[in-house]
Amino acid sequence: MKSVLAASTALMVAAPAFAEPAAEVLHWWTSGSEAKSIAVLQEEFKENGGTWTDMPVAGGGGDAAMTALRARVLSGNAPTAVQLKGPAIQEWYEETGLADISAVAEENGWADVLPDAIADHMKCEGKWCAAPVNVHRVNWIWGNKQILDEQGIEMPTTWDEFNAAAETLKEAGITPLAHGGQAWQDATVFETVVLGLGGPEFYKAALIDLDPEALKSDRMKEVFDEMRILRGYVDDNFSGRDWNLATAMVMNGEAAFQIMGDWAKGEFLAADKVPGTDFVCAPTPGDGYLYNVDSFAFFEVDGQDKQDGQALLAKLIMGPNFQKVFNLNKGSIPARTDVALDDFDDCAKASYDDMQADSADGSLLPSYAHGMALRGAQAGAITDVVTAHFNSDMSSEDAVQQLADAVAASM
Ligand code: GAL
């Protein structure tokens, strides 16, 4: 009896060390392909003994998820892991602190397999504070192959060509552009036009350096002129539509094109559509590559189980197998440079090649619309003007003035 008691006491004392890793994960991956992608992480976490509590907050682009995050943090109950990216990582670090995951990063050699630009986004005062899952390219146009073939349309390489193709489609009674009227989707289209019409230098001056001259320039007026033209190519029901429903319109032949990051490709692939056969991908007209890196950060939490959960998640996220399978589903390419792309489709391979080339000549640029380039206040100020212009008859002159004013007020 005595020995049994002694043994069970020993077990009780030892118990905390065997606590299962646990994580509550806040994310916004709720479309078909997004859910399929995050499920890969959930599965791996469970296979490694973890208990996963899912906290999905629907809403493409993550605005609703970030609102939910703020509410949780304010109530003193931060989730253990959060989909967080770009400068928001450092903003949260400054505001509340974030867990230091440097031990995991160093043990697993992250510095050797991540491009410097990506690694920099994952650090807070030199320490690793986030783990990257992928690289999405934002500036893509997706086209319905059958419609384009029937109408004799090639993927446009200039915005004039895009407009000409759209006119042809309109005359044929086909909606040229599938778009969801949500602020972040308007911003997504806008930044591709800024890059396309202005070029990488202009994009950088306007949307990264926030140079008032660039914001008010004639070039920026041309960008708003093009946004007004694009507004004429969307269907009547575009307001509020989710991005994946816009993708479905292209898939189902209800519209010819969508301008959207390659998470749209995830939706095509999840529906068994084949690139080059059912749909086509091409960069939006112009030079340059707008990148959007998804990542997870970890708040400082009490409890060994949660801290173990954070370490396990960080390790799995950067695991070579996860980076491959996740990104095959998600439409993106791995953040790790040592994952073979043999099983990836041609759009992904093109994305990788362009990323290398554009990185070499300085035209690999962070997406403002997806929270990679600017802090929240500045990005929000720009998006408010872009969406107000898109949804009214505001002139391009007024738009650039408002843009410059709003950015100045946000500083
Ligand atoms: C982006 C995010 C992508 C994506 C998209 C739509 O901001 O980086 O992973 O799925 O929103 O929700």
Side-chain angles (χ1 to χ4, degrees):
M1 186 68 194
K2 197 175 171 213
S3 63
V4 173
L5 245 186
S8 68
T9 311
L11 249 181
M12 278 168 63
V13 171
F18 296 115
E20 286 181 350
E24 186 191 10
V25 185
L26 192 160
H27 63 89
W28 67 86
W29 284 333
T30 55
S31 80
S33 62
E34 289 175 332
K36 200 171 156 188
S37 305
I38 187 78
V40 177
L41 187 58
Q42 187 167 348
E43 277 312 305
E44 286 199 4
F45 193 66
K46 285 183 187 163
E47 277 163 24
N48 283 274
T51 305
W52 174 291
T53 306
D54 206 31
M55 193 188 171
V57 181
D63 293 338
M66 291 301 100
T67 305
L69 171 62
R70 186 152 291 279
R72 284 286 302 265
V73 174
L74 286 177
S75 68
N77 182 24
T80 34
V82 180
Q83 188 188 343
L84 202 65
K85 59 183 165 163
I89 298 169
Q90 288 74 30
E91 284 184 271
W92 273 111
Y93 175 79
E94 287 161 17
E95 200 172 321
T96 62
L98 289 173
D100 179 0
I101 53 169
S102 300
V104 179
E106 276 150 26
E107 199 180 315
N108 294 281
W110 290 8
D112 301 333
V113 293
L114 288 176
D116 289 346
I118 295 184
D120 286 348
H121 282 295
M122 307 301 140
K123 290 186 182 164
C124 299
E125 291 184 335
K127 289 178 281 190
W128 293 87
C129 55
V133 289
N134 63 3
V135 182
H136 272 305
R137 182 181 199 170
V138 177
N139 54 322
W140 283 113
I141 299 192
W142 309 93
N144 176 300
K145 176 98 164 68
Q146 192 184 341
I147 294 179
L148 299 184
D149 286 353
E150 281 169 8
Q151 300 299 322
I153 293 171
E154 301 277 329
M155 286 303 262
T157 58
T158 65
W159 286 98
D160 284 344
E161 277 177 29
F162 181 87
N163 297 344
E167 292 298 333
T168 304
L169 291 159
K170 238 179 147 174
E171 272 161 40
I174 300 161
T175 299
L177 187 60
H179 182 65
Q182 296 174 345
W184 73 271
Q185 294 187 60
D186 300 338
T188 300
V189 174
F190 172 76
E191 70 176 3
T192 72
V193 179
V194 171
L195 178 68
L197 287 180
E201 284 301 316
F202 179 73
Y203 179 94
K204 189 170 171 298
L207 298 183
I208 299 177
D209 300 339
L210 303 176
D211 169 4
E213 294 309 313
L215 293 172
K216 277 188 299 197
S217 63
D218 287 344
R219 184 65 83 200
M220 192 59 90
K221 281 185 202 149
E222 287 169 28
V223 170
F224 281 105
D225 290 346
E226 178 62 23
M227 290 301 285
R228 178 65 65 238
I229 294 172
L230 294 176
R231 173 67 179 80
Y233 296 150
V234 308
D235 70 320
D236 290 342
N237 299 321
F238 79 104
S239 279
R241 176 187 288 136
D242 287 327
W243 66 273
N244 52 318
L245 300 183
T247 309
M249 289 172 69
V250 177
M251 231 185 269
N252 301 333
E254 291 161 44
F257 295 116
Q258 183 184 19
I259 296 168
M260 187 50 66
D262 42 21
W263 46 95
K265 193 186 64 190
E267 293 293 303
F268 284 106
L269 298 179
D272 288 327
K273 303 290 180 194
V274 179
T277 306
D278 302 311
F279 69 98
V280 271
C281 62
T284 47
D287 297 331
Y289 184 117
L290 298 182
Y291 70 83
N292 171 22
V293 174
D294 286 308
S295 47
F296 282 85
F298 309 91
F299 280 81
E300 284 170 336
V301 286
D302 293 329
Q304 195 60 42
D305 55 343
K306 292 179 181 173
Q307 289 168 7
D308 289 352
Q310 293 178 326
L312 176 58
L313 261 187
K315 182 175 166 213
L316 293 176
I317 284 170
M318 271 291 286
N321 183 60
F322 169 73
Q323 292 250 329
K324 178 177 165 185
V325 181
F326 173 90
N327 285 300
L328 281 170
N329 290 328
K330 189 69 172 68
S332 35
I333 55 176
R336 288 181 75 109
T337 50
D338 61 344
V339 176
L341 294 183
D342 302 342
D343 295 337
F344 284 73
D345 60 77
D346 289 346
C347 307
K349 286 175 184 153
S351 175
Y352 179 83
D353 292 344
D354 289 353
M355 185 171 78
Q356 300 304 316
D358 289 341
S359 162
D361 74 7
S363 50
L364 176 65
L365 297 160
S367 159
Y368 116 78
H370 291 275
M372 298 303 299
L374 300 172
R375 295 196 159 227
Q378 282 74 50
I382 296 172
T383 300
D384 285 349
V385 176
V386 168
T387 201
H389 169 269
F390 199 72
N391 291 292
S392 70
D393 56 7
M394 189 191 294
S395 69
S396 300
E397 285 71 22
D398 288 348
V400 298
Q401 190 58 53
Q402 287 197 19
L403 189 64
D405 293 347
V407 168
S410 74
M411 303 282 221

